[in-house]
Amino acid sequence: MRIVLLGAPGSGKGTQAAILKQKLGLAHISTGDLLRAQVAAGTELGIKAKAVMERGELVSDEIVLGMLEERMREADVAKGFILDGYPRNVAQCEALDQLLQRIGMPVQMAIQLDVDEAVLLDRLAARASKENRADDSPDSVRFRLGVYQAQTAPVVDFYAGKQLLQRVAGTGSVEQINQRLLDLLQSS
Ligand code: AP5
Ligand code: MG
């Protein structure tokens, strides 16, 4: 199965993708995780991305696509994948389409996790107090939600237009949401 998991910051993309990876043996490809690994390793790419990420802006399409192309060459992708955090604007949707067409692995389903803003803010504030993600400060969270509305929300329409979009309620317990996703994947 080749899935794009969509949703606002804090909607649970990373949490759910990690469980689906375990249960279904799919590769979990998070561009945010790939970027944070580059920042942690202090690579040239990471140095370029660090300040942009801390502000909550999008890293350039070119950088992220290059990183994704490299990741797509790894062996685990052959079993199927869940993309988490990509695509994030319409240009990325088109670049992804071309990349996946080239390697003969088109997206089969896009799933939008629907979560109200109040819940997103609560979850990200809770994470800020536990973990040390540089972009979970109140200013960056506000900025990330604005970027999501302006640039990433149209990605949902892109997949709806291709008849690939499904929506899942992203509130409730982690297990409840995961069961909704498994039910959806099993029924399709
Ligand atoms: P990225 O890492 O993709 O961050 P994000 O989209 O802002 O989303 P989060 O990771 O914050 O949320 P999530 O939906 O994964 O939720 P999670 O499961 O963690 O991107 C970070 C940055 O990298 C971007 O701002 C940008 O700069 C750059 N970047 C990445 N991709 C890019 C791209 N394609 N193009 C350009 N730039 C890019 O859950 C959130 C919290 O809630 C966790 O603490 C979790 O434990 C908790 N939680 C989850 N589910 C539940 C639940 N059901 N109940 C209670 N708590 C829950
Ligand atoms: Mg995430």
Side-chain angles (χ1 to χ4, degrees):
M1 195 72 195
R2 297 182 297 273
I3 303 163
V4 168
L5 197 52
L6 302 171
S11 60
K13 302 181 296 296
T15 302
Q16 294 299 330
I19 303 173
L20 293 176
K21 172 187 165 162
Q22 289 297 323
K23 292 193 173 166
L24 305 177
L26 303 171
H28 172 197
I29 304 177
S30 157
T31 47
D33 287 349
L34 292 172
L35 285 165
R36 281 184 287 278
Q38 295 282 335
V39 172
T43 62
E44 198 181 326
L45 192 161
I47 291 164
K48 275 191 199 153
K50 186 171 189 281
V52 178
M53 291 174 76
E54 277 175 15
R55 288 195 297 272
E57 292 171 23
L58 295 185
V59 175
S60 85
D61 289 347
E62 196 190 345
I63 287 184
V64 181
L65 181 63
M67 214 178 53
L68 182 69
E69 280 175 332
E70 203 173 305
R71 178 66 182 86
M72 282 289 176
R73 286 190 208 109
E74 288 178 36
D76 62 339
V77 172
K79 290 175 288 181
F81 57 78
I82 309 162
L83 267 174
D84 154 14
Y86 195 98
R88 254 179 151 92
N89 58 33
V90 173
Q92 292 186 6
C93 292
E94 280 155 7
L96 179 67
D97 247 22
Q98 284 176 19
L99 165 63
L100 295 181
Q101 227 159 58
R102 202 164 66 229
I103 61 175
M105 301 187 91
V107 170
Q108 293 168 306
M109 191 187 289
I111 307 174
Q112 164 78 358
L113 287 174
D114 284 317
V115 180
D116 289 343
E117 188 165 294
V119 176
L120 299 174
L121 290 169
D122 279 353
R123 287 185 189 169
L124 294 174
R127 187 170 66 190
S129 66
K130 281 183 283 185
E131 291 172 31
N132 201 18
R133 234 180 89 164
D135 59 352
D136 278 342
S137 67
D139 279 354
S140 296
V141 165
R142 212 173 307 118
F143 201 89
R144 283 159 63 202
L145 290 171
V147 168
Y148 175 78
Q149 285 307 333
Q151 299 191 51
T152 311
V155 169
V156 173
D157 302 329
F158 178 90
Y159 287 108
K162 290 186 173 287
Q163 321 293 329
L164 292 175
L165 184 73
Q166 300 285 345
R167 288 178 175 273
V168 165
T171 43
S173 72
V174 169
E175 295 72 23
Q176 283 170 330
I177 299 160
N178 194 251
Q179 195 55 54
R180 286 177 205 139
L181 289 169
L182 289 170
D183 289 347
L184 170 65
L185 293 172
Q186 269 148 23
S187 70
S188 62

